[in-house]
């Protein structure tokens, strides 16, 4: 546990001191500030526009950060050989990978938190009435990012190219949001094989709609009864992807 | 107990292309033993398998066949790694951490308790006290080499594995390294180093192994080259030439 | 060498996650959004699809909403005094006992005799070109295709279509679409949709009464509508003018103050003018 925390700590420091991280946070802050321009165009729906734009910007920022950071975490470290002086210490590869992943998530969550503070401030200034839904929407966004982070880590270990790792991760993000459409198509199609393929795809690909509470804001009568199960599912799926990453990593040679 | 022992150690690199797989032998049938408390030098040309041997001993590579143990433990196991201090040919560090931070990280990963005290002593020892809070991105090559040495000694390991430790160093730095290695030996440490600089190896090593094309062609104690200056070089060249001749005859 | 993880652990971990999804999460979750369809405005089809596949339906519906406002120009062109009077003029006629105009010739003769104000001669052809904003309904449909629960769009769109553009059939089509979406949602999920459902029905009633000339009932329905949250300023302004013409300045003033404070900046200056005018009338 001490090893995991030590590695997580230095990963967090490394990410936070990385200029790219500052650029991304700055970009995120600019996006939220720029949303005020859109708000002015929103007519009587200003608060809605501000809410939606801010939540989407926070999630988008986190997605971009986690993609780049996860790819760098494994790929760049192996290519730059900084990994040698860690793996030649009495540290198991599992501890190393988990610690790196935890540090990465901590860095991304920090950025999300900063942006959320700014966003919440703007909402308060515009007379928005906060409910539990707001932090819950952010929590589920963070859960989504956790899953995508573990997927990104797997792709970075699987592929030797940063571009392809990022591309695959983004593609997975799209697939995850398209799950419901895949299920619908599977129900509509008449042939058996595509039906089975669609059903398997629907269950195997993580359904990121489970974590999209920010899109369900005005849905009447929504209770969020699926949320606790979705949170557990998110953790299980992330652990599964990390297990896969660990399997790859434990077989890697340097 | 031997510090490092290999038995018929073979490593074959497989590189997959579209229609074929290219096989390259890193080491083949290597039998090596490093005694506790000695300085053992692994000599060889570029591509002879020196770094492969070191990586196999550290567990960074997995043998295709054969075994390698460190103080009786399987190479790469946490028990073995706990006893090793490693200095790669070119040490790479996390650029955004400071000297103190990186050494503190390595100290924690090595399982040390009094991290800050140990780090302070080591930083002083390598003469980087003034630079402890500078990010490593701002360090010169020589300073990075000193950090490399510092991290290898941090946890007071029994075995030091140094890959080309004097490569790229100026004569003064080379002498400092030599002095350090001899001092460490006097403290009872075992040092396993690889190099292609014969003049340095013959000054400090107790025994030398000559690697040619992944195979150990000869192991000789200091007494066999100490008698005449430059004789280790002659021995090395003759072994390498003999191996090349054997290859020509086979063709 | 460090312990090499067996692939069996990987299989086990994924099996656990997938089975949990199959038997637990997927049983509790139902996607409230209908499947992605083709956007009513084909130029935005790809753009809207990006919103769906990136999980940002609401955001893209907001962008579509802003595009609607830009298209319709309500944010930039507040209804003028003459236009608002003209819109509620037929209702005023009813309350004042004057007959409704039937043809232009009669109107001109009437006004030549009685010296009517210019506003009284304002016909629909002078107000807006019927072909203008012909895609307003498509814009509204586009927004609700992305977010069917963006109820405000039904109300705003219907109000603009019915009262500003006099295209009551399109307004009715839009509201009926909203009702149909809520019906489908309620049938699939069983959730309570009374609040938005009732509000949309209210607007539908008002527009149907307007179409059939039952202005008293229409006013009654509008009074209920303005008391509900998310009532567009446009609809409030219609009722405010009706009150003013009906000799109820206090009620009109109350609505204009409400409009001014609503946050829709497009009505700010006009609402300020009306407030000043009404205060003057009331001697405040």
């Amino acid at each position: 546990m001490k090893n995991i925390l030590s590695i997580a700590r230095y990963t967090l420091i490394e990410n936070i001191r990385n200029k790219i991280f500052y650029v991304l946070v700055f970009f995120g802050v600019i996006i939220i500030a720029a949303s005020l321009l859109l708000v002015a165009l929103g007519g009587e729906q200003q608060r809605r526009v501000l809410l939606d734009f801010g939540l989407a910007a926070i999630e988008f920022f986190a997605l971009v950060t986690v993609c780049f950071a996860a790819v760098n975490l494994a790929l760049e470290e192996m290519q730059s050989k900084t990994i040698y002086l860690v793996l030649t210490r009495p540290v198991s590869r599992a501890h190393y990978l988990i610690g790196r992943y935890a540090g990465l998530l901590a860095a991304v969550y920090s950025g999300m938190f900063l942006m959320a503070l700014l966003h919440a401030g703007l909402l308060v200034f515009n007379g928005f009435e906060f409910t539990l839904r707001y932090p819950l929407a952010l929590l589920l966004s963070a859960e989504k990012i956790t899953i995508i982070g573990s997927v990104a880590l797997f792709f970075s270990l699987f592929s030797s190219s940063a571009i392809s790792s990022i591309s695959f991760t983004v593609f997975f993000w799209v697939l995850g949001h398209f799950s419901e459409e895949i299920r619908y198509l599977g129900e509509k199609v008449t042939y058996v094989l595509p039906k089975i393929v669609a059903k398997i795809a629907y269950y195997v690909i993580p359904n990121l709609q489970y974590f999209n509470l920010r899109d369900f804001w005005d849905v009447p009568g929504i209770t969020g009864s699926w949320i606790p199960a979705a949170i557990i599912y998110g953790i299980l799926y992330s652990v599964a992807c990390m297990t896969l990453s660990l399997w790859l990593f434990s077989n890697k040679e340097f | 107990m031997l510090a490092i022992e290999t038995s018929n150690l073979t490593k074959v690199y497989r590189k997959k292309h579209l229609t074929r797989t290219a096989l390259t032998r890193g080491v083949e049938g290597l039998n090596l033993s490093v005694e506790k408390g000695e300085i053992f030098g692994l000599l060889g040309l570029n591509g002879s398998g020196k770094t492969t041997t070191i990586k196999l001993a550290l567990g960074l590579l997995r043998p295709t066949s054969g075994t390698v143990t460190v103080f009786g433990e399987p190479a790469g196991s946490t028990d073995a790694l706990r006893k090793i201090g490693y200095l790669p040919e070119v040490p790479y560090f996390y650029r955004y951490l400071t000297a103190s931070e990186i050494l503190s990280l390595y100290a924690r990963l090595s399982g040390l308790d009094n991290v800050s005290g140990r780090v302070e002593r080591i930083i002083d020892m390598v003469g980087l006290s003034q630079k402890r809070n500078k990010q490593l991105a701002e360090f010169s090559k020589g300073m990075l080499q000193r950090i490399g040495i510092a991290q290898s000694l941090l946890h007071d390991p029994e075995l030091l594995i140094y890959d080309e430790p004097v490569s790229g160093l100026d004569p003064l730095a080379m002498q400092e390294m030599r002095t350090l290695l001899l001092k460490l030996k006097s403290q009872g440490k075992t040092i396993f180093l690889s190099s292609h600089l014969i003049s340095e190896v013959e000054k400090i090593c107790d025994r030398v192994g000559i690697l040619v094309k992944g195979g150990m062609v000869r192991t000789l104690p200091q007494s066999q080259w100490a008698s005449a200056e430059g004789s280790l070089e002659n021995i090395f060249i003759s072994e390498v030439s003999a191996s090349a001749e054997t290859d020509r005859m086979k063709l | 060498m460090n312990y090499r993880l067996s692939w069996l652990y990987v299989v086990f971990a994924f099996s656990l996650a997938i089975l949990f999804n199959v038997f637990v999460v997927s049983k509790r979750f139902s996607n409230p959004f209908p499947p992605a369809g083709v956007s009513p405005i084909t130029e935005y089809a790809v753009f809207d699809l990006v919103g769906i596949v990136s999980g940002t339906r609401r955001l893209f519906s907001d962008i579509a909403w802003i595009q609607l406002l830009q298209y319709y120009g309500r944010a930039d062109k507040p209804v003028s005094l003459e236009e608002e009077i003209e819109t509620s003029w037929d209702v005023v006629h009813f309350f004042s006992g004057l007959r409704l105009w039937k043809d232009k010739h009669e109107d001109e003769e009437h006004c030549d005799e009685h010296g009517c104000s210019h506003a009284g001669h304002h016909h629909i052809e002078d107000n807006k070109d019927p072909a203008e904003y012909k895609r307003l309904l498509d814009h509204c449909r586009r927004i609700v295709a992305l977010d069917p629960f963006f109820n405000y769009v039904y109300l705003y769109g219907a109000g603009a279509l019915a009262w500003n553009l006099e295209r009551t059939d399109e307004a009715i089509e839009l509201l009926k679409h909203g009702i149909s979406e809520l019906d489908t949602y309620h049938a699939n999920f069983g959730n309570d949709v009374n609040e938005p459902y009732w509000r949309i029905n209210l607007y539908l009633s008002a527009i149907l009464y307007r179409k059939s000339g039952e202005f008293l009932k229409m006013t009654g329905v509008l009074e209920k509508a303005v008391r509900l949250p998310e009532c567009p300023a446009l609809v409030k302004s219609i009722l405010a003018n009706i009150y003013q013409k009906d000799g109820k300045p206090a009620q009109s003033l109350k609505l204009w103050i409400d409009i001014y404070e609503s946050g829709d900046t497009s009505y700010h200056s006009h609402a300020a003018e009306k407030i000043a005018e009404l205060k003057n009338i009331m001697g405040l």
Side-chain angles (χ1 to χ4, degrees), chain A residues 159-171:
Chain A
S159 153
S160 54
S161 153
I163 300 283
S164 59
S165 300
I166 292 170
S167 305
F168 281 130
T169 306
V170 171
F171 178 62

Side-chain angles (χ1 to χ4, degrees), chain A residues 3 6-7 9-10 13 17-18 77 80-82 84-91 250-251 253-254, chain B residues 11 55 59-62 78 81 86 88 92-94 96-97 101 105-106 108-110 135 151 155:
Chain A
N3 282 342
S6 299
I7 294 169
R9 187 170 162 269
Y10 91 71
I13 293 171
R17 285 188 192 161
N18 194 328
E77 190 150 299
S80 70
K81 300 178 189 174
T82 47
Y84 284 13
L85 291 175
V86 176
L87 293 184
T88 51
R89 303 223 170 244
V91 177
S250 70
N251 283 293
E253 295 186 313
F254 299 96
Chain B
K11 175 64 186 173
K55 285 185 176 181
L60 292 173
L61 292 173
R62 200 174 297 113
T78 45
L81 291 174
Y86 169 56
Y92 294 97
F93 301 106
Y94 299 106
Y96 299 106
L97 296 183
E101 283 170 347
L105 167 67
Y106 291 143
R108 283 194 200 94
L109 293 180
S110 300
Q135 286 188 6
Q151 62 80 30
H155 51 298

